[in-house]
Amino acid sequence: MNKQDSIAAEGAVYYLFGATGDLARRKLFPALFSLYKEGKLAEDFAVVGLARRPRTNEQFRADLLKSIGEFCRYKADDSQQWERFASHFVYMSLDINNVDGFRELARLTGELDAKFDIPGNRLFYLALAPELFGPVSFNLRDGGMLESKGWNRLVIEKPFGYDLESARKLNAQLSQVFKEEEIYRIDHYLGKEMVQNIQVLRFANAFFEPLWNNKHIANVQITLSETVGVEERGGYYDKSGALRDMVQNHMMQMLAMIAMEPPSRLHPEDLRDEKVKALRSLRPFASAEEVKANVIRGQYAGGELNGKPLSAYRDEDSVNPQSETETYFAARVYLDNFRWAGVPFYIRTGKRLPVKTTEVVVEFKNVPDNMLFAQRHDLAPNLLVIRVNPMEGIYIKINAKKPGVDNVVQPVSMEFCQSCMIGINTPEAYERLLHDAGRGESTYFTRWDEVAEAWAFVDRIAEAWRGNSPELELYPAGSWGPARVEQLLAEDGFHWWPVNGQAEDNVIWISGGPK
């Protein structure tokens, strides 16, 4: 796979629908420039920015330069290279409901193919609302945009629908135009370095796989916490909430990567087959009572963080003052299969929490209480911690003798800090995913059956919430969520482990860890 990673994407025309939006400005334009700087995007490409508002090519390229200066990890400090790069970008105002506009787009595409020697390949990136995916796909077909001699690929952002029923309708629409292997559903968490490193950690190290089961693992904790509130997304978020916005996609994908069986081959379909099997093994909640016992639904009230006062969710812009939308979700879930039977997976995500982090903690079972050192010392369990964001790395916590003659045992954490090695030049998730889409590498894009299984699981929770009207548990902004979150683990004899940015008492760090 390392050799494949260095291969330049095939020459293609990239169509960015929603080119004047925030995603294009913050993520897509910087990703394309980084790929170009690193030689992963050759000269045989073109980018067509598409949106309703009028814009000249010069204005579009000025926006592009501003975006690179503000958000890209590389600077546009080589004027000749920048002029070459920017010359590949053109803009066209398009009404996506007017098929004649797509015919005009087809004529423009022919000119770009000839100018940049592009072999008829088309990549359509839809940074649009899900209800527009179907109409745009139909107009791409009816406007003659799919009749070239090269390949066609459709890249679409989350959310893929709003529940299982809407996702099925959306998939049925797309399937009338594109084959499943031509559809690339982006979950940007799958582009993150340490999420992709999970399969390497598990399947390239012989000492992990024999321990990766219910005989040796006590529990798994997955945390995705944000310090920010809803910011400018209040209108969208109030109709979505943490369950749909984060759990159905990001958290289900990370859970599947941790829980999946080893694929028979390092082939995209084999790996995605195993993720689907893991999602199918999730034990569904059979009743509203089960949901209430295992799921916590919270919303942030007023609070403070680092001495700064923070508003309540209901006081945010574009949010209903009586909103019952959850900004916090925590749950205890189980996978009913041979490997994981009886092992609780604890997942939590929320806004306005004290630390921004994405982290997976695998807690191993402790040594028997009647064995040797356990008789004399309060031994801590071994941990494997995978830090996904913002610090990237892995650490393993073990027990070791403290230097001296007192025969004291203490926890020691051995760390691999990827961020310390690479720093700001770590490739951003969208770079990897755009590069993969350009090469036809679908491993880290979600397949339809993955999406369907994830929706089927979270829809049961949403249905229980609608039918039973569970109490929304308020928590102070800047805290770790509702008080019952600790109780959820305490019921099983566990507790949440400190996450990135929180110091652990009495732990010695080796190789660059926090002091």
Side-chain angles (χ1 to χ4, degrees):
M1 293 183 73
N2 290 337
K3 293 180 180 179
Q4 287 291 322
D5 288 345
S6 63
I7 297 174
E10 296 180 65
V13 181
Y14 293 72
Y15 305 86
L16 302 186
F17 289 80
T20 57
D22 201 49
L23 178 68
R25 183 172 65 93
R26 288 175 174 268
K27 299 295 183 182
L28 303 183
F29 296 153
L32 288 167
F33 185 63
S34 295
L35 292 174
Y36 186 77
K37 286 276 287 188
E38 294 180 350
K40 295 174 181 175
L41 201 59
E43 298 294 336
D44 56 345
F45 82 99
V47 177
V48 183
L50 299 160
R52 291 202 66 158
R53 70 179 69 171
R55 217 103 181 111
T56 65
N57 287 342
E58 290 71 26
Q59 289 173 319
F60 183 49
R61 291 165 185 168
D63 293 341
L64 178 67
L65 180 59
K66 185 178 179 181
S67 164
I68 302 307
E70 191 172 355
F71 298 109
C72 190
R73 63 193 179 96
Y74 289 113
K75 300 302 178 185
D77 48 11
D78 183 331
S79 59
Q80 291 185 343
Q81 183 188 56
W82 171 256
E83 290 299 326
R84 288 198 308 273
F85 175 72
S87 70
H88 292 262
F89 285 71
V90 298
Y91 183 84
M92 178 178 163
S93 178
L94 178 69
D95 178 358
I96 59 175
N97 297 308
N98 183 359
V99 71
D100 290 335
F102 287 80
R103 296 190 179 103
E104 179 61 31
L105 180 59
R107 287 191 286 272
L108 172 62
T109 299
E111 297 172 7
L112 294 171
D113 278 350
K115 180 178 180 179
F116 295 109
D117 195 26
I118 298 170
N121 297 327
R122 314 279 181 250
L123 190 147
F124 307 101
Y125 197 113
L126 273 53
L128 303 169
E131 59 265 23
L132 301 177
F133 295 165
V136 169
S137 298
F138 294 142
N139 281 337
L140 286 172
R141 178 193 62 195
D142 299 340
M145 288 294 298
L146 307 180
E147 298 172 2
S148 67
K149 59 185 178 181
W151 48 253
N152 297 301
R153 292 174 189 150
L154 181 73
V155 181
I156 51 180
E157 280 283 338
K158 77 170 185 76
F160 192 84
Y162 300 102
D163 53 22
L164 181 55
E165 181 181 0
S166 63
R168 281 174 174 158
K169 290 179 180 177
L170 175 55
N171 196 63
Q173 289 179 322
L174 298 183
S175 298
Q176 294 179 50
V177 181
F178 294 95
K179 301 173 184 176
E180 172 61 30
E181 58 267 26
E182 295 175 326
I183 301 173
Y184 289 68
R185 300 174 189 84
I186 274 195
D187 183 333
H188 71 268
Y189 262 73
L190 291 181
K192 290 185 178 294
E193 185 70 47
M194 291 311 302
V195 173
Q196 295 191 0
N197 220 338
I198 290 173
Q199 68 169 11
V200 178
L201 179 72
R202 284 193 57 192
F203 306 135
N205 295 288
F207 65 90
F208 278 126
E209 186 56 29
L211 305 179
W212 211 259
N213 54 57
N214 54 9
K215 294 181 178 62
H216 301 282
I217 292 178
N219 70 82
V220 178
Q221 301 175 18
I222 303 175
T223 298
L224 198 166
S225 61
E226 300 177 283
T227 55
V228 297
V230 292
E231 300 180 303
E232 303 89 17
R233 299 173 69 225
Y236 159 76
Y237 194 89
D238 205 38
K239 299 174 183 176
S240 174
L243 179 64
R244 292 181 175 87
D245 188 51
M246 303 298 280
V247 178
Q248 186 274 333
N249 37 74
H250 302 332
M251 303 211 77
M252 289 291 101
Q253 285 294 321
M254 287 199 296
L255 185 149
M257 294 286 282
I258 290 292
M260 62 183 278
E261 294 295 320
S264 57
R265 299 171 299 166
L266 276 181
H267 184 276
E269 296 312 310
D270 293 275
L271 187 138
R272 297 198 292 185
D273 285 346
E274 298 304 333
K275 286 165 63 184
V276 171
K277 291 178 186 177
L279 293 173
R280 284 177 181 160
S281 297
L282 279 168
R283 182 190 301 173
F285 295 113
S287 66
E289 288 71 27
E290 277 196 14
V291 171
K292 186 176 181 180
N294 292 280
V295 178
I296 297 170
R297 180 171 174 255
Q299 184 189 94
Y300 64 83
E304 67 172 49
L305 182 61
N306 299 325
K308 177 184 175 182
L310 300 173
S311 299
Y313 173 73
R314 292 171 181 172
D315 295 331
E316 302 277 19
D317 290 340
S318 304
V319 171
N320 183 342
Q322 284 80 44
S323 175
E324 292 292 307
T325 299
E326 77 283 354
T327 63
Y328 185 95
F329 177 95
R332 171 176 48 210
V333 301
Y334 292 91
L335 282 82
D336 290 333
N337 59 24
F338 192 79
R339 180 183 293 269
W340 294 111
V343 177
F345 282 68
Y346 303 106
I347 60 178
R348 61 176 172 173
T349 182
K351 292 187 175 296
R352 287 291 186 216
L353 301 183
V355 175
K356 174 182 172 61
T357 190
T358 302
E359 192 163 292
V360 180
V361 178
V362 179
E363 178 180 335
F364 291 89
K365 291 183 177 180
N366 219 337
V367 297
D369 291 339
N370 61 348
M371 294 296 291
L372 195 56
F373 289 104
Q375 294 177 338
R376 304 178 184 177
H377 305 280
D378 185 15
L379 299 181
N382 300 137
L383 303 180
L384 169 66
V385 181
I386 303 167
R387 288 176 168 166
V388 175
N389 184 53
M391 289 293 289
E392 298 175 337
I394 302 165
Y395 77 83
I396 300 174
K397 190 163 82 170
I398 61 174
N399 294 304
K401 180 182 176 296
K402 185 177 181 179
V405 297
D406 295 331
N407 202 28
V408 174
V409 176
Q410 66 181 6
V412 175
S413 288
M414 299 184 294
E415 181 179 60
F416 158 62
C417 177
Q418 180 149 293
S419 297
C420 301
M421 296 172 59
I422 301 176
I424 63 169
N425 284 324
T426 301
E428 217 277 343
Y430 278 92
E431 292 176 37
R432 295 191 188 88
L433 295 176
L434 275 174
H435 185 223
D436 284 351
R439 298 183 300 129
E441 169 56 64
S442 59
T443 300
Y444 295 109
F445 294 85
T446 53
R447 205 168 60 190
W448 161 241
D449 48 359
E450 292 180 64
V451 174
E453 292 295 335
W455 271 127
F457 182 76
V458 304
D459 274 1
R460 285 177 175 263
I461 300 173
E463 182 180 358
W465 287 352
R466 285 193 300 269
N468 203 36
S469 298
E471 181 180 353
L472 192 66
E473 302 184 37
L474 298 180
Y475 61 97
S479 72
W480 272 111
R484 194 164 70 90
V485 174
E486 295 295 337
Q487 180 185 345
L488 188 69
L489 276 71
E491 291 170 359
D492 303 323
F494 303 121
H495 62 84
W496 291 103
W497 290 97
V499 297
N500 197 9
Q502 293 182 300
E504 283 194 69
D505 295 335
N506 303 318
V507 177
I508 303 299
W509 290 82
I510 299 174
S511 182
K515 307 297 182 188

